[in-house]
Amino acid sequence: MASEAPFLIATRSEGKLRELNGILATAGLRAVNLSQAMIEPTAAEEHIETFDTFEENALAKARYFHALTGMPTLADDSGLCVDSLGGEPGVWSRRFSGRDDLSGQDLDDANNAKLMAELADKTDLRAEYKCAAAFVGDGVEFVEMGEVRGEIVRSPRGENGFGYDPYFLSSELGMTFGEATTEAKELISHRGRAIRALIEKHF
Ligand code: IMP
């Protein structure tokens, strides 16, 4: 399926937006974000992602903004799943620290501190990032997954990326996502893989 209209990228995360813009540009697709589409944040948005799976949350987000705007909408739901924590924080990655009062780097710092505390007595530090990318247009819905494996390091490395990236050592890159350039991360990341799967299978 080809789409002439620009996609709406349904995220308010600066870090995700940077990466999604790059991935879509590489694929030759036009996109606008929520602030470019002049969609102001509302309290209702905070209650979209109430499901237990990445797929359901990504679809819920894409459905919500497609219903609001009528635009073909792309959303991702993603998170870090740590083997020795039974897959946690998973879909709760953004809210892991429980600090609803924080945002941006302060929230990332609180989440990373919680991760370090949870892993203090663990020896198995293997983990993966997972991403569900969902597209909702008129009468069509698609969702695809992407994953990337690695391990958690106990001291942060690098200042690129966002969220847990300085603590996520990619097996494929041999460096943390905090050390990798956006371009290097995009090639192998959960988000890059999920979006490319969506594009290759459906567009
Ligand atoms: P979402 O906005 O509900 O999808 O939550 C995503 C959360 O998972 C982010 O706030 C980060 O904590 C974490 N996360 C997902 N993808 C990444 C990534 O590529 N790098 C670092 N953290 C990520």
Side-chain angles (χ1 to χ4, degrees):
M1 193 193 96
S3 176
E4 299 299 321
F7 289 82
L8 177 65
I9 306 182
T11 184
R12 299 203 188 272
S13 155
E14 299 268 320
K16 277 190 186 181
L17 206 50
R18 222 177 9 254
E19 293 183 12
L20 289 168
N21 275 329
I23 297 164
L24 292 174
T26 305
L29 294 171
R30 290 188 302 134
V32 296
N33 62 44
L34 293 172
S35 71
Q36 288 167 328
M38 300 209 277
I39 303 163
E40 296 297 326
T42 64
E45 278 176 38
E46 290 302 315
H47 306 287
I48 301 173
E49 297 169 54
T50 53
F51 299 95
D52 292 336
T53 67
F54 293 111
E55 290 99 325
E56 287 173 295
N57 283 330
L59 268 173
K61 229 181 297 187
R63 283 180 188 142
Y64 175 90
F65 286 104
H66 176 255
L68 194 67
T69 63
M71 296 175 73
T73 303
L74 185 70
D76 100 28
D77 193 56
S78 47
L80 178 71
C81 304
V82 180
D83 294 6
S84 61
L85 300 180
E88 289 210 339
V91 293
W92 308 107
S93 292
R94 189 165 67 88
R95 292 151 283 178
F96 194 38
S97 62
R99 293 294 303 269
D100 295 340
D101 55 321
L102 301 178
S103 62
Q105 189 62 50
D106 293 338
L107 179 60
D108 289 346
D109 291 346
N111 284 335
N112 284 319
K114 165 91 171 162
L115 180 67
M116 287 303 108
E118 293 283 324
L119 290 177
D121 62 348
K122 306 282 193 230
T123 48
D124 178 0
L125 298 179
R126 289 173 299 170
E128 65 185 339
Y129 274 129
K130 291 189 180 187
C131 176
F135 173 83
V136 175
D138 290 336
V140 285
E141 292 190 345
F142 309 118
V143 61
E144 297 293 341
M145 290 296 300
E147 284 108 23
V148 60
R149 287 200 62 84
E151 66 184 73
I152 303 302
V153 291
R154 294 194 191 273
S155 306
R157 298 190 207 161
E159 306 203 328
N160 298 332
F162 66 100
Y164 301 95
D165 280 347
Y167 292 88
F168 182 82
L169 178 66
S170 159
S171 320
E172 285 162 87
L173 293 182
M175 63 177 82
T176 70
F177 275 177
E179 294 169 306
T181 61
T182 307
E183 293 74 21
K185 180 181 171 186
E186 170 186 323
L187 286 177
I188 61 138
S189 77
H190 51 315
R191 186 164 297 103
R193 286 177 168 150
I195 302 283
R196 283 194 297 276
L198 198 70
I199 293 169
E200 282 158 21
K201 289 188 190 171
H202 305 291
F203 291 87

